[in-house]
Amino acid sequence: MVLYLRAILNWLGFLFNTAAPHIRSIIRQCIFRIRKLGIRAVQSGLRTFLSRLLAYYHQRASLKNSDAEPETAVFTAASTMHPVLTPVNGLSQTSSLQANQLQVQVNQHPAQGSCSSINSWSPSPMEWDPSKFKPLAPQLCQRYKGRVLVSDSKTTSIPAKKKDFSEKPVDGWETVVHPEGALYFYDATRHVFTDANLRSKKNKLLKVINHLAHQLLLKANDLIDDSTYLVLELREDACYYYFVQHDKRLLFWLQDFEDPIRIYEHVKGVKSDTHIKIALEAQYWAHCELYPNNAPIQPQIATELKHVLLHAHSGWLFPVSFRVIMNWDVFVDFLTSDTSVVPYDLSTLQSMLDLSNHLVEYVKPLTQSGDERVELPAHLMCVLARLMRLFARSKFLNFYGQVGARLNANQSVYEVEQSRQKGTLRLRLANAFLWGAPAAQYKFLQNTWIDNILNYPKWSKLISRLNSDWSNVTIFSTVMLAVNVGFLAVPGVISAAAVVIYLSAMCSVSSLVASMLLAVECRGWGTDSAKGAASFMARMIHTQADVEALAIMYSLPYAYLIWAMFCFVTALGISVFHSTNPATLVVVGLCWIAVTTLTLWPAWWGKFSITPWSRRGGQVKEIV
């Protein structure tokens, strides 16, 4: 039975490449139905037999026309867009790549009774030239960067009585529209994707893409199977590509990926194969998000996503109890885990969980059918792939499954970062002169920016708190400025008190200006989104010293306000103690000492210690 079906498929495949367009359409549907039945071995056998049959057929045709003079054409592929996967169905070609542009020189030998279609020719064997190809990753694709601009110089009228508004089909390729609206092309026979505009006749991109896809598939003949897809992106310097292995959820290339730090998102210390596999899995889901219409996946992936979201959700909901040992036992309960490595807050996780529930409901009947792989509708596949990509990326950034995995959001995984909790001498001096504010800001920034990774939920809380604090500081600074001006208007103010009041007024104005500038700067760099906040922090912080500098800068409005108050109180004291009445000096002096001591007590207790628990030897002994 299998041999009988294989023979039928071979015959249908041959007709698919040689018959008229309307016959090919019918045969394409038949092959698609047979694929849905799960006859994987038959389809693989069809490819092998068909390639040998076509090679023999074109070899005979080439011998018959050996006396004919070949026609030569040169095609230039400018900066186009994306990937492809499928062997060429016939092209006698030799190609050459130059440094500044991709050029393919094609020697065409027309066979008897043939048409001008590129699929009528078989590519001649040629030596693999790795300099023509460069590895690509979905994260580096330029779909959203190099889009074609629309000309507004001409508008086409609508013809009368026209009912068919479909585009002319591209020979051998299906036109697919992404749910976001992007147009790309897919070759179902060879499993090839590309964003290049194959309808354009200006640069003959169709022939170029077919030729390059054939070379790659021919080179990777032993590595590809029915679950392997190819993506091509033409650029000026080379043809960028990657292979997708759906059953293993990874990408692979025929050459070494020389610059992996770009898909590692500049994470250092990536050495383990299991860690690299997670990075490739994140790229795999990025591919499924770019090309969702033809992405066969396992039905249980939707349930897997739901389990991941439930675990992430529980990390925020379940209470955690710490027993802190000092002179007595203290129990501290948190309604949420403040150190969870999940990069999303509760409301976002709840929305993701609702989406996963809808996905599970849709996929559940498909799971019961027993199919090994299914193809979801494009919109649902985009949702599934995006969520899976986000959590795969989070796993990679946190060294998931590695010996040194990050288990707390405020924990560094690198050896050189372990000493950063202590702070430098500069921070300690600034902490003393700025009333303890840098230490508090430094602690918040440490918990937000770890190993050049931004914890956006904590960042949002930090920025909201800072904006609120700066707004309050501007009000207090304005009040202090008015008080200072009023003090100077009092008759009989001595010169020493006036000088200190001038300093207080200057600090009030500095606090007002600094708070306004910082608030505008934070809002002006797109910090209301995770990407904008990460870009802002990457711009502000390059080394650990920059974290301390940013902490000092964020503490300036508060510190200026405190200095303004201190100078005002000093001027008031000068005026009071300038009195010669002994009784007044004694009473006011005692009260002054008591009030000053109690006022500075909170600052000394909580502000001037960068590590608050170290003074009394407190530490976490157990977690309940």
Side-chain angles (χ1 to χ4, degrees), residues 323-377:
R323 175 174 296 182
V324 183
I325 306 300
M326 295 174 60
N327 295 336
W328 55 86
D329 290 351
V330 179
F331 292 89
V332 183
D333 291 337
F334 295 92
L335 294 179
T336 60
S337 178
D338 191 45
T339 59
S340 175
V341 295
V342 179
Y344 307 102
D345 55 17
L346 275 176
S347 59
T348 305
L349 288 174
Q350 184 60 51
S351 301
M352 292 180 175
L353 190 57
D354 294 339
L355 290 175
S356 68
N357 289 332
H358 292 299
L359 287 172
V360 170
E361 291 178 1
Y362 181 87
V363 176
K364 188 175 181 181
L366 303 178
T367 307
Q368 296 174 352
S369 63
D371 294 339
E372 295 182 359
R373 289 183 293 170
V374 297
E375 292 185 7
L376 299 180

Side-chain angles (χ1 to χ4, degrees), residues 168-203:
K168 183 179 179 181
V170 180
D171 191 14
W173 295 80
E174 299 176 7
T175 302
V176 186
V177 178
H178 192 276
E180 292 180 345
L183 178 69
Y184 63 90
F185 295 88
Y186 172 63
D187 187 337
T189 306
R190 299 178 295 172
H191 293 177
V192 183
F193 294 97
T194 184
D195 280 358
N197 185 14
L198 301 184
R199 293 172 179 167
S200 174
K201 298 181 180 179
K202 184 177 180 180
N203 293 323

Side-chain angles (χ1 to χ4, degrees), residues 59-71 108-112:
Q59 183 179 5
R60 293 290 301 273
S62 177
L63 291 175
K64 290 181 180 180
N65 295 276
S66 59
D67 297 331
E69 211 170 295
E71 299 177 0
Q108 301 175 344
H109 302 269
Q112 295 180 354

Side-chain angles (χ1 to χ4, degrees), residues 133-159:
F133 302 93
K134 291 185 179 180
L136 177 69
Q139 182 178 338
L140 307 177
C141 289
Q142 297 186 356
R143 170 180 293 180
Y144 298 96
K145 297 180 181 179
R147 303 302 298 171
V148 178
L149 300 180
V150 179
S151 174
D152 57 355
S153 60
K154 182 181 179 181
T155 302
T156 305
S157 60
I158 303 176

Side-chain angles (χ1 to χ4, degrees), residues 110 276 465 565:
I276 296 175
R465 184 187 60 81
M565 293 181 178

Side-chain angles (χ1 to χ4, degrees), residues 274-293:
T274 55
H275 198 192
I276 296 175
K277 172 63 170 59
I278 297 176
L280 295 180
E281 184 175 350
Q283 294 298 317
Y284 165 77
W285 290 116
H287 162 80
C288 293
E289 191 176 351
L290 286 174
Y291 304 98
N293 298 72

Side-chain angles (χ1 to χ4, degrees), residues 311-322:
H311 178 265
H313 202 271
S314 66
W316 284 97
L317 283 178
F318 290 165
V320 182
S321 299
F322 296 92

